[in-house]
Amino acid sequence: MSHNIILNKQEIDHKIKRIAYQIFETFVDEESIIVAGIASNGYVFAEKIAAVLQSISPLEVILCEVTLDKQNLNSEIKTSLPKEAYQNKGIILVDDVLNSGSTLMYGVKHFLDVPLKKFKTAVLVDRNHKKYPIKVDFKGISLSTSSLEHVTVVFEKDNSYATLS
């Protein structure tokens, strides 16, 4: 099976920077925000966005790792922060690829247990195969793919890329 590179390292870096600026514009009136990444690749993507946000804005950026079982989305969702830490805060829930929307949907549901100031979502690749009415606020790229195709995002220390196979 062939792997077509849809984003190279330079393009991913550019998308991260653009998303960070969009997030800053959206949360410009806040003192701090929480960037919550869905483990594992979503969290790596969140770390990259947070690093750029810290370099371009005065916002205090708090990272949060969201752990959920993608095979059993009804299982308990764990976060690296207690619920009190994100109460009345602005949150961005981050994942690498949006396919059906189920992972983001269950991630959003978890955060709605406490009152929030603002809630947004961000993904690197939006595949447009949604089963749920989930909207992505910040995205790197939108792809119209067949359900048989697979998008893989790889974040390596010296190289990052996204492929379609």
Side-chain angles (χ1 to χ4, degrees), residues 104-119:
L104 264 186
M105 186 69 132
Y106 282 91
V108 166
K109 181 178 172 254
H110 172 79
F111 285 99
L112 296 180
D113 289 342
V114 297
L116 304 172
K117 271 191 177 176
K118 224 182 253 185
F119 193 98

Side-chain angles (χ1 to χ4, degrees), residues 91-162:
I91 295 182
I92 302 97
L93 183 61
V94 179
D95 205 1
D96 58 342
V97 179
L98 174 65
N99 189 20
S100 69
S102 56
T103 303
L104 264 186
M105 186 69 132
Y106 282 91
V108 166
K109 181 178 172 254
H110 172 79
F111 285 99
L112 296 180
D113 289 342
V114 297
L116 304 172
K117 271 191 177 176
K118 224 182 253 185
F119 193 98
K120 300 291 181 184
T121 55
V123 298
L124 181 59
V125 181
D126 180 354
R127 289 201 48 211
N128 298 320
H129 286 287
K130 295 174 197 74
K131 287 195 261 184
Y132 298 95
I134 190 106
K135 174 183 165 274
V136 180
D137 299 292
F138 312 109
K139 60 184 146 198
I141 187 173
S142 263
L143 289 180
S144 293
T145 60
S146 81
S147 57
L148 300 176
E149 293 174 303
H150 184 73
V151 173
T152 304
V153 176
V154 176
F155 291 113
E156 295 175 342
K157 187 174 174 83
D158 298 325
N159 190 25
S160 298
Y161 57 92

Side-chain angles (χ1 to χ4, degrees), residues 27-56:
F27 291 91
V28 71
D29 295 332
E30 301 298 323
E31 289 180 19
S32 67
I33 60 169
I34 294 174
V35 179
I38 296 174
S40 58
N41 252 8
Y43 184 70
V44 175
F45 187 43
E47 287 177 314
K48 292 176 179 298
I49 290 170
V52 174
L53 270 169
Q54 288 172 327
S55 72
I56 64 168

Side-chain angles (χ1 to χ4, degrees), residues 48-111:
K48 292 176 179 298
I49 290 170
V52 174
L53 270 169
Q54 288 172 327
S55 72
I56 64 168
S57 76
L59 290 170
E60 176 192 8
V61 180
I62 303 161
L63 268 168
C64 174
E65 186 170 18
V66 180
T67 307
L68 50 83
D69 181 351
K70 293 182 181 183
Q71 308 314 317
N72 180 15
L73 291 167
N74 286 320
S75 63
E76 184 185 2
I77 295 173
K78 295 182 178 84
T79 58
S80 60
L81 296 174
K83 286 187 177 189
E84 303 78 48
Y86 45 85
Q87 190 166 337
N88 295 315
K89 295 262 197 234
I91 295 182
I92 302 97
L93 183 61
V94 179
D95 205 1
D96 58 342
V97 179
L98 174 65
N99 189 20
S100 69
S102 56
T103 303
L104 264 186
M105 186 69 132
Y106 282 91
V108 166
K109 181 178 172 254
H110 172 79
F111 285 99

